Amino acid sequence: MTQTTLMSIPGQIDPVPVARDITPREDGRVDLIGLPKDRIRELFDEAGLDVKQAKLRAKQVFHWLYHRGVTDFEAMTDIAKTMRPWLAERFFIGRPDVVEAQHSTDGTRKWLLRTSDGHEFEMVFIPDADRGTLCVSSQVGCTLNCRFCHTGTMRLVRNLTPGEIVGQVMLARDALGEWPKGSMAGLEVEEDSAQYTSDGRLLTNIVMMGMGEPLYNFDNVKGALKLVMDGEGLALSKRRITLSTSGVVPAMERCGEEIGVNLAVSLHAVTKEIRDEIVPLNKKYGIDELLEACAAYPGASNARRITFEYVMLKDKNDTDEHAHELVRLLKHYKLPAKVNLIPFNPWPGAPYECSTPERVKRFSEIVFEHGISAPVRTPRGRDIDAACGQLKTAAEKKSRAQRDREAAEALESTATA
Ligand code: SAH
Ligand code: SF4
């Protein structure tokens, strides 16, 4: 079982359990997934290798872990045969457990995953003609209760660790069979990483748009994305990674500076009244403050625009006036912007409906007529509840009463066993 410690999340009042960077395993071995090269070197050092050996082995193991996707020390052919069992006795190379894998009729795939301490979360792969996008989760549940979002009705269970976040990308590469092959003679990694952008690869893009608010799990998301972007690691370009936030203003500048990925902002409304209702975080960080932070986002330019996500809710935020106000705001703050209109994806008991297709089209035209691109996102994987805002794991869907009942039953059965 993973031990969790209480740690406060910036901007949150309640401390939530956060797993440690090293997940203690029952067999005493240390899971290396999610650790950066320096940390691996430290661990090798502590386990008894001399400084030079620790450095060399860390470099080799790092490459095998993140660049080759190897999960068995025996496969690390440039490491001495006698050394491999020594490593396997002390260390482990894990992946999140797969509870269930589903395939949509449109090709979208969704995996229900489980952490070693038994929490379930989801990742989604969306194949397109010219790209394949993996939608990655950052938390189990979410502290923010956006009214249109199914994940928002779950309580926050805990932040995912860097290993659980990067583990999703690694698992997707496993499932798609996309680890580079060939030998790694002389650790010529630079040469090799160039292959990554080659066409024909299925997994080309990553969006931090799964369950949770990534900027409320900043350090772990940063740690994981560093491994994804590392040329000797998963080697995906930062231009192919997008982080979506509901507007955690104080963390946005750091995100641009320290992570440097593309930014997407869940704007969804242009008046205080409506945004307060549908994205309650707006009461803390209002629209003007949010757009000012966007204008200052490091690295944003006309070549690298900020995406503004706008969920289309019938009779709520979808009038012509709202579209005009959206244009005015984006121009007022001189934002290098594109707008992504998301038809609302329904879920049982949702308090909203999706705008009509005609309304969505008209809204898109108005924004477009003012020179801002505003495509309508095609919902993907709705049949397997994999579309935006539909992610919510079965375990957490159970009512409080049902959970309590199950817990009581479990106790009873251990008592009578
Ligand atoms: N927490 C982050 C990222 C995850 S949500 C955020 O809020 O930005 C990814 C996107 O899906 C967000 O823009 C979110 O607002 C949107 N979304 C949530 N529920 C939705 C639903 N039911 N239909 C359509 N989009 C939804
Ligand atoms: Fe959390 Fe994003 Fe859903 Fe809001 S839309 S509840 S921030 S996951």
Side-chain angles (χ1 to χ4, degrees):
M1 276 279 169
T2 302
Q3 287 178 11
T4 50
T5 49
L6 279 184
M7 191 178 108
S8 61
I9 294 182
Q12 295 298 303
I13 299 143
D14 303 320
V16 298
V18 179
R20 302 196 299 214
D21 78 325
I22 294 186
T23 309
R25 289 170 45 85
E26 268 167 15
D27 63 10
R29 291 188 290 168
V30 172
D31 190 347
L32 295 177
I33 289 297
L35 301 181
K37 200 185 295 164
D38 278 352
R39 191 78 183 95
I40 296 176
R41 183 184 49 75
E42 268 171 31
L43 289 169
F44 288 179
D45 190 39
E46 285 162 20
L49 294 186
D50 69 37
V51 177
K52 225 177 119 203
Q53 273 282 321
K55 192 166 174 220
L56 172 68
R57 297 305 175 202
K59 187 174 164 71
Q60 290 172 312
V61 168
F62 184 90
H63 180 88
W64 284 112
L65 290 189
Y66 299 113
H67 201 77
R68 298 279 176 194
V70 157
T71 50
D72 182 0
F73 291 103
E74 268 313 311
M76 303 185 177
T77 47
D78 61 342
I79 293 181
K81 266 205 159 74
T82 48
M83 179 93 205
R84 295 179 216 160
W86 184 89
L87 286 167
E89 251 168 56
R90 292 161 179 80
F91 302 100
F92 181 81
I93 306 164
R95 293 283 191 269
D97 285 335
V98 177
V99 180
E100 193 184 0
Q102 284 176 284
H103 226 125
S104 159
T105 47
D106 69 14
T108 301
R109 298 169 72 172
K110 181 171 91 168
W111 287 266
L112 175 63
L113 307 175
R114 187 161 47 212
T115 64
S116 58
D117 56 344
H119 298 303
E120 290 178 350
F121 60 107
E122 294 176 323
M123 71 171 190
V124 177
F125 178 70
I126 308 139
D128 271 307
D130 60 342
R131 66 174 65 185
T133 307
L134 186 71
C135 181
V136 171
S137 291
S138 56
Q139 300 181 310
V140 180
C142 189
T143 45
L144 303 169
N145 306 95
C146 301
R147 284 203 75 203
F148 50 84
C149 174
H150 209 188
T151 310
T153 65
M154 282 172 75
R155 67 198 170 92
L156 176 69
V157 178
R158 73 163 166 82
N159 278 340
L160 292 174
T161 62
E164 289 157 352
I165 298 168
V166 76
Q168 296 171 60
V169 186
M170 307 194 63
L171 204 62
R173 278 242 169 110
D174 293 346
L176 300 167
E178 289 208 306
W179 292 106
K181 294 175 183 68
S183 76
M184 54 171 276
L187 279 170
E188 296 295 339
V189 289
E190 257 60 62
E191 211 177 79
D192 208 83
S193 51
Q195 295 170 6
Y196 265 82
T197 47
S198 69
D199 297 332
R201 210 166 260 290
L202 290 171
L203 201 175
T204 59
N205 291 57
I206 290 179
V207 292
M208 295 302 304
M209 294 188 187
M211 294 164 70
E213 167 50 58
L215 294 188
Y216 275 148
N217 187 14
F218 190 91
D219 292 334
N220 292 355
V221 166
K222 175 180 161 182
L225 291 181
K226 290 275 172 204
L227 298 168
V228 171
M229 293 185 287
D230 192 324
E232 292 178 39
L234 284 136
L236 220 89
S237 155
K238 65 177 183 180
R239 289 172 194 278
R240 292 184 170 272
I241 304 174
T242 302
L243 182 147
S244 174
T245 178
S246 52
V248 184
V249 168
M252 283 169 56
E253 190 181 345
R254 271 189 79 196
C255 175
E257 259 164 21
E258 297 177 30
I259 313 179
V261 291
N262 302 323
L263 185 70
V265 173
S266 295
L267 188 62
H268 302 318
V270 290
T271 68
K272 173 165 170 53
E273 195 199 343
I274 302 175
R275 197 161 190 270
D276 275 357
E277 175 191 323
I278 67 178
V279 184
L281 185 66
N282 194 63
K283 293 180 198 148
K284 194 160 186 181
Y285 309 115
I287 294 176
D288 290 295
E289 212 184 324
L290 174 59
L291 296 180
E292 271 167 27
C294 290
Y297 187 71
S301 66
N302 280 331
R304 279 186 86 194
R305 291 170 190 274
I306 296 175
T307 303
F308 289 90
E309 294 159 290
Y310 199 98
V311 64
M312 297 300 294
L313 304 174
K314 189 176 184 184
D315 301 330
K316 182 48 73 181
N317 63 355
D318 62 351
T319 65
D320 287 1
E321 290 69 41
H322 291 140
H324 285 291
E325 178 60 6
L326 176 60
V327 170
R328 191 194 68 78
L329 281 171
L330 297 178
K331 297 218 171 212
H332 177 77
Y333 286 98
K334 301 189 176 60
L335 289 161
K338 55 185 174 196
V339 172
N340 216 323
L341 298 176
I342 317 177
F344 169 66
N345 292 307
W347 38 272
Y352 303 107
E353 279 176 60
C354 184
S355 311
T356 62
E358 300 73 45
R359 192 85 291 278
V360 178
K361 186 159 173 274
R362 186 63 203 127
F363 196 104
S364 164
E365 281 165 4
I366 294 173
V367 179
F368 188 75
E369 279 158 14
H370 289 86
I372 301 169
S373 135
V376 180
R377 195 187 284 174
T378 318
R380 299 290 302 268
R382 271 187 177 178
D383 54 335
I384 55 168
D385 282 346
C388 300
Q390 291 186 313
L391 302 187
K392 175 161 175 170
T393 52
E396 312 300 332
K397 270 182 204 146
K398 292 175 186 161
S399 68
R400 187 63 217 235
Q402 193 179 349
R403 273 204 300 264
D404 290 350
R405 209 165 38 240
E406 281 176 6
E409 276 165 15
L411 257 184
E412 220 170 285
S413 65
T414 42
T416 53

